[in-house]
Amino acid sequence: MDFFKHIRIATWWFKLPPFLVLIYLYFIKENIHNFGQEVFLILFLLSGVISIAIFASLINNYYDQEDDAIAGKENKMINLGKKYQFLVLASILLVGILFSIFIFPNFYALSFYWLSWFCFYIYSCKQFRLKEKTYLGVIFDGLGSQFFPTLFIFSFLYQGDFGNHLLLISSGSIWMMFSFGMRSLIIHQYDDYVNDTKAGVSTFVNSTPQLPRSLFQRFVLAVEIISFLIFMWTIDWHIFIIPILIYIILLVIFKFIFNIKFYFFEALQNQKSRSLFFDFYITILPFTLLTLIAFKNHQNGILLVVSIILFNVPTLFNVIKFFKLK
């Protein structure tokens, strides 16, 4: 449990299914039916994304020790001596170097993989501390957590052939950056407003005036929606009809039966509320796509079961917890 807290798995585990969506759609678009190839690509690419997420968590914990101590936030790095802190950071760096050996000689995939690491370093480190640079903080977190990892995945899948897939790759990368990168971070900053203010940490949410903040949030949301629509069109919009219908039905049920409100950025205080679209991105879309793949190749039923255990079961527990708390 301490290990999971060290790498702050709760902050990024829920962001993995959208990356799987990219891989599943590749299988569908390119008619990949080789089960061994599918398993290899999923495990390899997900390992790369996870190594980036672990580095982001550890480097952020390392540079946030003073702020977290002031705010009273849990930071496992504080419990380690300097020697062990450097050892932990060196260990994840070694993992990244070893992983790079398997990416080589794909230059584009290798570059985008390490650009994610670089973004998170300058986002957290005291010399740059983009985390406290309002707009730059939001943008670079989106670049490091979603944009470059998505480009890493596409570069590996298409072997750096951007010319024939430019619109798909660009729209998919922008969608991921603005949804699970920038909008997700803004939501987190609203949730962490009290702690950030207590620690004197300047963020986009607590240091930007209401009007420019509202305008920027609308821009983020607009780009998220437009890029996702383009992404759907470049793949095959028919594939998305069923998951969208399922989500609409769930929205109606949640709203009129359970009286749940929906928001884009700031959760509604003292009310049952959920972030709009995220349940669709995280649960419904990856689940329906994997089900479609399983129908085409029954061996993929194994992937479906594993995916349910790793992602849908935790989601179900979170839903139960959500209704109990509310």
Side-chain angles (χ1 to χ4, degrees), residues 247-265:
Y247 186 57
I248 290 173
I249 292 170
L250 284 178
L251 285 180
V252 173
I253 293 173
F254 283 170
K255 180 175 179 59
F256 294 103
I257 296 181
F258 296 105
N259 194 31
I260 294 175
K261 309 293 183 182
F262 295 93
Y263 63 92
F264 288 114
F265 293 97

Side-chain angles (χ1 to χ4, degrees), residues 97-129:
I97 293 171
L98 292 175
F99 186 79
S100 298
I101 295 173
F102 297 98
I103 303 175
F104 188 82
N106 190 322
F107 173 77
Y108 289 109
L110 193 62
S111 298
F112 292 131
Y113 176 72
W114 283 103
L115 278 170
S116 291
W117 289 64
F118 175 72
C119 283
F120 278 120
Y121 174 74
I122 64 174
Y123 176 81
S124 300
C125 75
K126 297 296 184 182
Q127 293 89 334
F128 297 96
R129 198 60 174 173

Side-chain angles (χ1 to χ4, degrees), residues 65-273:
Q65 293 179 70
E66 293 180 10
D67 293 336
D68 288 346
I70 294 171
K73 290 176 61 178
E74 184 179 42
N75 184 333
K76 288 295 182 179
M77 194 70 78
I78 297 175
N79 300 329
L80 301 177
K82 282 293 180 182
K83 176 183 175 182
Y84 289 103
Q85 290 178 11
F86 289 137
L87 183 62
V88 167
L89 293 176
S91 297
I92 189 59
L93 183 62
L94 179 61
V95 169
I97 293 171
L98 292 175
F99 186 79
S100 298
I101 295 173
F102 297 98
I103 303 175
F104 188 82
N106 190 322
F107 173 77
Y108 289 109
L110 193 62
S111 298
F112 292 131
Y113 176 72
W114 283 103
L115 278 170
S116 291
W117 289 64
F118 175 72
C119 283
F120 278 120
Y121 174 74
I122 64 174
Y123 176 81
S124 300
C125 75
K126 297 296 184 182
Q127 293 89 334
F128 297 96
R129 198 60 174 173
L130 296 185
K131 180 175 184 176
E132 297 189 46
K133 303 298 183 184
T134 58
Y135 295 99
L136 282 178
V138 174
I139 292 169
F140 269 80
D141 182 84
L143 289 172
S145 66
Q146 306 296 322
F147 187 71
F148 288 130
T150 300
L151 287 175
F152 153 68
I153 289 174
F154 281 137
S155 298
F156 191 86
L157 292 176
Y158 290 108
Q159 296 301 304
D161 180 15
F162 291 123
N164 295 321
H165 311 281
L166 185 59
L167 192 58
L168 181 152
I169 292 172
S170 57
S171 61
S173 301
I174 292 171
W175 163 57
M176 290 286 283
M177 174 180 174
F178 277 77
S179 57
F180 285 94
M182 296 170 69
R183 184 156 76 94
S184 182
L185 178 63
I186 293 173
I187 291 172
H188 171 73
Q189 288 182 357
Y190 275 113
D191 292 339
D192 223 21
Y193 182 88
V194 174
N195 287 329
D196 287 336
T197 303
K198 187 187 299 182
V201 176
S202 175
T203 67
F204 165 76
V205 168
N206 68 19
S207 63
T208 306
Q210 176 63 39
L211 181 58
R213 184 170 76 239
S214 178
L215 291 174
F216 184 73
Q217 289 176 175
R218 291 177 186 178
F219 168 73
V220 169
L221 181 62
V223 175
E224 173 189 333
I225 294 172
I226 293 170
S227 59
F228 183 68
L229 291 175
I230 296 173
F231 182 62
M232 284 197 303
W233 178 75
T234 58
I235 297 289
D236 181 358
W237 64 271
H238 295 91
I239 296 173
F240 297 85
I241 292 176
I242 292 178
I244 288 174
L245 287 176
I246 292 173
Y247 186 57
I248 290 173
I249 292 170
L250 284 178
L251 285 180
V252 173
I253 293 173
F254 283 170
K255 180 175 179 59
F256 294 103
I257 296 181
F258 296 105
N259 194 31
I260 294 175
K261 309 293 183 182
F262 295 93
Y263 63 92
F264 288 114
F265 293 97
E266 185 176 5
L268 303 174
Q269 297 298 320
N270 302 318
Q271 297 184 62
K272 295 179 182 178
S273 61

